[in-house]
Amino acid sequence: MCLKTLRNLRHTLALRLTLWYAGIFAVSSTLAFALAYVLIAEVVREQTDEDLREDIQEYAAFMRLGGLDRVETEMSVDSEGGEGHQVFFRLWGPDGRQLAATDLSAWTGLSEPKGISARFADTDEPILETLALPRREHKVRSIYGVIAPGMVLQIGESLENNEVFMAATFRGFLIVLATIVAFGGPIGWFMARRALRGVQAITRTATEIMHGNLDRRVAVRAQGDELDTLARTFNLMLDRIHALIVGMREMTDNLAHDLRSPLGRIRASAEMILTRNGSKAEAEAMVAATAEECDRLLEMINTTLDIAEAESGAAKLKLTEVDLVELVGDAVELFQPLAEDKQVTIAVDLPNACRVRGDRQRLQRVVANLLDNAVKYTPSDGRVTIKLDDRDERLRLSIQDTGLGISPDETTRIFERFYRCDRSRSELGNGLGLSLALAFVRVHGGDIAVDSTPERGSTFTIMLPRLHAA
Ligand code: ADP
């Protein structure tokens, strides 16, 4: 592995996780082993003490059964042979004089306990202590115990076996610990790599997308863990971005398309004014038509900007108390002549007044756009009915017509910018009216619903919160 790879490795999350794993593994194993070692040492020590206590009781029984002779015999039997290096006995009488002892040549440094009999004047409870004799490698555990009235026996036992056992235990723990630490690293590395595989897949996909492959998506495994959630969220985000890009592309295509025809017309009429030697009145009419065309273009561009401003949340609402009934009445008045021309009846079913907090101008444009559409897309002898339901906190203003209607596929698209249904292309329009209405209603915290049946008519319902806070 070259130096650069090693340097890169140093910054990987996998390595950091591995080191954490191995560290935590090592520390917790050491603590567990230390605890186990202390417990084992305690058990061994207690066992030794228990054995010594039992020995005292045994010698008390020998004393009862066979007197001093029997005790002395047992003492020499117990300390015979190799045992002589492991155990010693000393016996004192009521006057404090030593009555018997085994060979103490291997136990140099043993002190003579002063007034040992006196110490047991009030109690028979044996006295245990650990001795460190100068010429013995291992410590000695000793017990003083009463085996007959006034007679104190000391039994000393080398702790060599215990210490050898504990040293072996310690070595065993060290070997196991070293093995755990040695294996903990690779296992931690393997687990960290495994856990991070999903992240690597996401990084790879993001890199591919960065290089232009916008259709790539992360494979979602069926494990339902955090990485799956991340992958799914990542894919959803990509879908959303993709939809936005497609939407923007469509919008710019539509904008370009919608700008081309009027600009062509403007150019043609400018050319005609320049080249034709018509009358002044003719030239003035052409200039007026060109100005009108320019106005339409400007309106389209301004509407697009208004929608963008409302959708981005940058629109500053001029909130006042608005009477919706009055606002709808004004709009009806405005469209009445157009409706009469087309022989479309506009009927209203409104309460006396209905106040909301909102931006009057924007709400006027919303109602005007919907009413304009209703009249525009309703053939002669049709009917447009406006109703206001103000019983709930959420007001419902519905504009119903008996017009062309919209197919179910298209109802989902009519709120997109520049979208126009094929069958309505014969009417004037730029496909921005509904987008604008929806954007304005949404900045008021409301929504627009549509219910439509082709050839039967449509109902557009504006839902508005009554007390829209500033
Ligand atoms: P336009 O300027 O084309 O009216 P809109 O955004 O207002 O643009 O509407 C988008 C499309 O939705 C219209 O082109 C039309 O096809 C359809 N539409 C809107 N309102 C109605 C309606 N009341 N009846 C039938 N179709 C409608």
Side-chain angles (χ1 to χ4, degrees), residues 373-374 376-377 401 404-406 414 419-421 424 428-435 458 460:
N373 282 349
K376 198 161 63 173
Y377 300 117
D401 64 57
L404 298 178
I406 307 157
I414 51 172
Y419 187 81
R420 307 197 71 206
C421 305
S424 52
L428 267 181
N430 53 21
L432 288 174
L434 284 181
S435 320
S458 320
F460 284 83

Side-chain angles (χ1 to χ4, degrees), residues 38-345:
V38 169
L39 288 178
I40 293 172
E42 185 64 20
V43 168
V44 169
R45 201 180 60 77
E46 270 176 17
Q47 190 56 52
T48 308
D49 289 355
E50 193 51 43
D51 288 349
L52 287 170
R53 276 197 192 91
E54 278 174 13
D55 287 347
I56 290 290
Q57 279 168 15
E58 214 178 356
Y59 273 87
F62 293 149
M63 188 61 137
R64 269 196 314 279
L65 296 174
L68 188 58
D69 289 345
R70 174 77 192 270
V71 169
E72 279 186 274
T73 315
E74 292 295 338
M75 275 165 48
S76 59
V77 169
D78 280 349
S79 61
E80 242 167 35
E83 290 291 296
H85 290 283
Q86 297 298 327
V87 197
F88 73 86
F89 294 84
R90 290 195 291 180
L91 181 67
W92 291 273
D95 52 1
R97 261 187 334 111
Q98 189 169 306
L99 298 178
T102 50
D103 179 9
L104 296 176
S105 56
W107 305 89
T108 42
L110 267 182
S111 59
E112 188 69 27
K114 287 198 184 78
I116 189 69
S117 306
R119 279 207 244 163
F120 288 98
D122 306 325
T123 174
D124 280 351
E125 191 54 36
I127 299 167
L128 285 145
E129 61 186 18
T130 303
L131 310 171
L133 299 181
R135 287 178 51 198
R136 291 195 73 92
E137 191 188 340
H138 302 283
K139 289 200 174 127
V140 176
R141 188 75 176 155
S142 121
I143 186 168
Y144 295 92
V146 178
I147 58 168
M151 302 200 44
V152 178
L153 176 69
Q154 180 189 23
I155 308 172
E157 188 182 318
S158 168
L159 290 177
E160 182 180 346
N161 288 346
N162 292 8
E163 286 176 8
V164 168
F165 171 71
M166 286 316 293
T169 308
F170 187 71
R171 266 198 309 279
F173 278 176
L174 273 189
I175 292 169
V176 177
L177 193 66
T179 316
I180 286 177
V181 173
F183 279 103
I187 290 173
W189 175 252
F190 171 74
M191 282 169 61
R193 299 280 299 181
R194 227 177 106 93
L196 292 173
R197 214 177 287 154
V199 177
Q200 283 163 355
I202 293 173
T203 313
R204 260 197 313 277
T205 310
T207 314
E208 283 177 38
I209 291 169
M210 208 171 68
H211 289 125
N213 193 352
L214 295 179
D215 295 329
R216 283 284 291 124
R217 294 290 179 274
V218 183
V220 181
R221 301 159 308 157
Q223 292 176 0
D225 56 11
E226 290 88 340
L227 284 174
D228 273 356
T229 313
L230 176 65
R232 219 171 284 127
T233 315
F234 187 74
N235 286 345
L236 283 177
M237 183 191 75
L238 291 176
D239 290 345
R240 176 110 182 84
I241 292 174
H242 194 250
L244 283 175
I245 292 173
V246 170
M248 272 168 63
R249 214 179 275 161
E250 267 178 23
M251 198 193 81
T252 42
D253 285 355
N254 287 332
L255 190 62
H257 181 264
D258 283 20
L259 285 176
R260 203 168 44 193
S261 323
L263 279 176
R265 282 197 295 272
I266 290 169
R267 191 175 188 285
S269 63
E271 245 174 33
M272 268 164 73
I273 295 166
L274 280 177
T275 53
R276 260 175 61 171
N277 288 329
S279 66
K280 190 171 175 244
E282 258 180 4
E284 276 175 0
M286 275 184 187
V287 170
T290 310
E292 214 174 280
E293 200 79 71
C294 286
D295 282 348
R296 259 202 299 278
L297 277 183
L298 273 176
E299 193 198 318
M300 189 168 85
I301 291 167
N302 285 337
T303 308
T304 314
L305 291 176
D306 286 344
I307 297 171
E309 189 189 43
E311 283 183 351
S312 68
K316 284 200 176 55
L317 296 184
K318 286 198 200 103
L319 293 176
T320 52
E321 203 172 79
V322 181
D323 183 357
L324 266 189
V325 175
E326 188 190 312
L327 194 141
V328 171
D330 289 348
V332 171
E333 212 173 293
L334 193 71
F335 283 94
Q336 197 66 51
L338 190 71
E340 276 169 17
D341 275 356
K342 279 189 80 178
Q343 285 152 12
V344 170
T345 313

